[in-house]
Amino acid sequence: MIRKEVVRRGSADEFLKGLWRENPVFVQVLGMCPVLAVTNSAINALTMGLATAFVLLLSNLLVSCLRHYIPPQVRIATFILIIATFVTVVDYLIQAISLEIHKSLGAFISLIVVNCLILGRAEAFASRNSIGRSLLDALGMGAGFTFALLCMGGVREILGGGTLFGVALFADNYQPWVVMILPSGGFFTLGAWLLLFNRIKQRQQRKQPRLQARLQEMGSEQ
């Protein structure tokens, strides 16, 4: 029973680290090319996030399965080949689902191949861990990346166009902040989110010693 509880907590921690503690964008600052380039709307951000998560999940799965059979001398080339295969699949999927979104994302779909997040997780984690842990890592990192892109795209679309997923949120007299859908707006939005994210983490770190002290007091009283 205790072992099952430890495994359950470890699995949850493996998944949640990508969402918060080791978020690919707001903590590790990875994949800045799509983060800044395609987040001028929420739908573009969501599509790119899901596409990246799809490639990350399947590449981690395959790398973990083949980790004992890939020669160390060609591991990076093999990882890139695996990633490129799944990027081709997701490229055709997006093209089949929506040509408009495919055109708006453009070359950034193909550039998923060189996203340092995916290659980094394949090299640092999937090639050294079991299939289960690799899948949890990919799910967490993919969800964290999608969450970050959606935060960026949502803010930029709301302020830059007064809409969210194409749905108008304000009256007709709303004056959009055109700068938010321009490249400079991406830098402003990213800076604001990084500031907010770091502020929240700092507050949590300050609270941890107090919580530990209270727990120790409660334990000594008992």
Side-chain angles (χ1 to χ4, degrees), residues 94-116:
I94 296 174
Q95 192 172 358
I97 294 170
S98 175
L99 276 174
E100 183 179 351
I101 295 177
H102 186 270
K103 289 179 181 178
S104 63
L105 295 178
F108 293 103
I109 300 174
S110 301
L111 288 175
I112 296 175
V113 175
V114 293
N115 190 320
C116 49

Side-chain angles (χ1 to χ4, degrees), residues 60-75 78-79 82 122 125-131 134:
N60 262 24
L61 172 63
L62 194 54
V63 167
S64 183
C65 289
L66 301 176
R67 66 186 186 280
H68 297 305
Y69 306 101
I70 299 174
Q73 299 85 353
V74 295
R75 69 185 190 283
T78 305
F79 296 162
I82 291 171
F125 199 92
S127 63
R128 304 176 185 182
N129 289 278
S130 65
I131 296 174
S134 298

Side-chain angles (χ1 to χ4, degrees), residues 5-24 28 56 60 121 124-126 128-144:
E5 182 67 18
V6 171
V7 171
R8 187 184 66 81
R9 289 184 179 180
S11 300
D13 185 67
E14 201 70 64
F15 173 76
L16 292 174
K17 73 177 183 182
L19 282 174
W20 185 259
R21 193 174 67 251
E22 298 180 18
N23 186 278
Q28 300 184 61
L56 179 59
N60 262 24
R121 299 320 294 175
F125 199 92
R128 304 176 185 182
N129 289 278
S130 65
I131 296 174
R133 291 194 66 195
S134 298
L135 287 175
L136 285 172
D137 177 77
L139 285 171
M141 290 293 170

Side-chain angles (χ1 to χ4, degrees), residues 170-187:
F170 305 108
D172 295 337
N173 59 354
Y174 174 74
Q175 296 295 325
W177 301 7
V178 181
V179 68
M180 297 305 293
I181 59 175
L182 299 176
S184 54
F187 286 97

